[in-house]
Amino acid sequence: MDRELALEIVRVTEVAALASARWMGRGKKNEADQAATSAMRAMFDSVNIEGTVVIGEGELDEAPMLYIGEKVGSGHGPEVDVAVDPLEGTNIVAKGLNNALAVVAISDRGNLLHAPDMYMEKIAVGPKAAGLIHIDDPIPRTLEIVARANRKRIQDCTVMILERERHAQIIEAVRRTGARVRLFSDGDVGAAIATCFEDTGIDIYIGTGGAPEGVISAAAIKALGGEMQGRLVPDNQEEYDRCVKMGLKNPKQILLMDDMVRGEDAIFAATGVTDGELLRGVRFVGNDRAETHSLVMRAHTKTVRWVKALHCIPNKPHLVME
């Protein structure tokens, strides 16, 4: 993939963030998601790729755009797989809370796991603990390993966990070790990636969340030199059969980084919609101007760029604002 493509993808996440940010705190998650999706889909037409959506807003009969299998891009350029979450954290935006993002990951054609819309067990750590963890290790052992790798005491480590009833045992197990727990309400892409940035203070991400979000997170973590492992959790025979159809002979196998994002290259971009550990949210600064904060990274070079941009909203043809 061309290196210039990384900055083109940032334009896609920026416009999605700008569109959805208007809905912050207004209690309308569906409208916020639709605004992000429509803007992102329109902006993709200007990107020189032959893209196929492999992780998106749902199947063809579930989503009018950015559905799985949809072709995106100008039709000129490299053939790529595209994984999108136009608004990661619809409830977050509706409630005006932190850590909502617009995210896109791309890789060469055939290199992204076509994760079905089901749950995935996940664990993620930053570069210092990469290669040392195992998803089946008991939590006390995992914390010992990560604490040693990060040169911390266990009680100084922070574990990011999605606040759900299904995680009650994990939360209690972490607390028994003396480690600190950071609960979050939605948006596990940002939570997983936070393990790779020391200034977030997050050492481990553990829990069960969406499989598509797991693959998107893996693309970013691969570029950052961290590690993520996962395992699909099919709830019924239909979901089990979908896993087999997508090429997993054993749907309950442990998925390593190279299972989720194959090859040496992937590009990940995210723009903040609301403020969070990684990125500031959209700021409407007056005079029809808005400020965005994004990051973009490429696995091949391990380059991470932080992009601050000031936008003139009337000059954004892909934005439909109220």
Side-chain angles (χ1 to χ4, degrees):
M1 292 185 291
D2 296 334
R3 59 185 179 184
E4 291 82 4
L5 190 54
L7 294 179
E8 288 296 299
I9 295 302
V10 170
R11 294 171 57 237
V12 175
T13 58
E14 283 175 344
V15 75
L18 286 165
S20 58
R22 285 286 193 190
W23 294 94
M24 189 190 79
R26 296 170 63 181
K28 297 183 177 181
K29 68 175 186 177
N30 292 334
E31 287 83 351
D33 188 48
Q34 182 58 50
T37 302
S38 298
M40 178 176 281
R41 177 63 186 85
M43 182 59 83
F44 260 121
D45 286 342
S46 68
V47 180
N48 286 326
I49 55 172
E50 291 185 52
T52 302
V53 176
V54 298
I55 292 174
E57 292 292 277
E59 305 289 348
L60 175 59
D61 58 350
E62 299 172 351
M65 61 184 71
L66 294 179
Y67 54 83
I68 296 169
E70 184 177 9
K71 303 300 181 182
V72 295
S74 68
H76 305 285
E79 296 183 359
V80 297
D81 285 347
V82 178
V84 303
D85 198 340
L87 180 54
E88 213 245 338
T90 55
N91 285 319
I92 293 173
V93 171
K95 297 176 181 179
L97 301 176
N98 288 349
N99 288 311
L101 300 170
V103 298
V104 172
I106 65 172
S107 75
D108 291 319
R109 178 68 51 84
N111 281 358
L112 286 182
L113 180 70
H114 297 195
D117 189 10
M118 65 178 64
Y119 280 137
M120 175 190 282
E121 298 174 30
K122 305 177 227 180
I123 183 171
V125 295
K128 292 180 181 177
L132 303 176
I133 61 164
H134 192 284
I135 196 169
D136 285 334
D137 278 346
I139 283 174
R141 173 171 170 75
T142 298
L143 276 161
E144 287 176 8
I145 290 169
V146 175
R148 191 179 308 117
N150 290 345
R151 296 189 175 184
K152 293 182 177 181
R153 300 178 301 171
I154 288 178
Q155 55 265 46
D156 294 330
C157 289
T158 302
V159 184
M160 202 82 161
I161 305 173
L162 182 64
E163 189 175 16
R164 295 290 188 272
E165 187 176 340
R166 64 180 178 269
H167 291 147
Q169 290 184 341
I170 294 175
I171 293 168
E172 183 55 33
V174 171
R175 287 172 173 166
R176 282 199 299 268
T177 70
R180 308 189 316 155
V181 174
R182 173 84 66 85
L183 298 177
F184 64 101
S185 62
D186 290 283
D188 61 352
V189 172
I193 297 169
T195 60
C196 295
F197 294 95
E198 288 189 2
D199 57 358
T200 66
I202 306 301
D203 299 283
I204 317 174
Y205 162 82
I206 303 175
T208 300
E213 290 85 353
V215 175
I216 293 172
S217 301
I221 292 171
K222 187 167 190 172
L224 292 165
E227 182 173 8
M228 184 170 187
Q229 296 177 11
R231 178 164 45 216
L232 294 171
V233 186
D235 279 341
N236 49 51
Q237 188 62 44
E238 181 183 354
E239 290 189 351
Y240 190 95
D241 292 342
R242 286 188 68 189
C243 295
V244 174
K245 188 177 293 186
M246 70 186 219
L248 292 176
K249 293 181 180 178
N250 176 14
K252 295 188 177 182
Q253 74 182 65
I254 295 171
L255 298 169
L256 304 178
M257 296 284 289
D258 286 341
D259 296 314
M260 291 184 273
V261 185
R262 292 181 285 272
E264 297 300 319
D265 206 3
I267 293 172
F268 172 90
T271 300
V273 181
T274 61
D275 288 349
E277 276 87 12
L278 289 177
L279 293 164
R280 292 179 66 182
V282 174
R283 297 284 196 277
F284 293 100
V285 297
N287 296 321
D288 279 330
R289 300 297 197 273
E291 182 181 283
T292 59
H293 295 256
S294 308
L295 64 85
V296 59
M297 56 193 81
R298 186 180 177 198
H300 179 66
T301 60
K302 299 294 190 289
T303 299
V304 180
R305 288 184 171 89
W306 304 86
V307 181
K308 177 181 176 181
L310 185 65
H311 306 267
C312 180
I313 293 171
N315 292 344
K316 295 285 183 182
H318 302 299
L319 280 179
V320 178
M321 307 300 254
E322 293 181 313

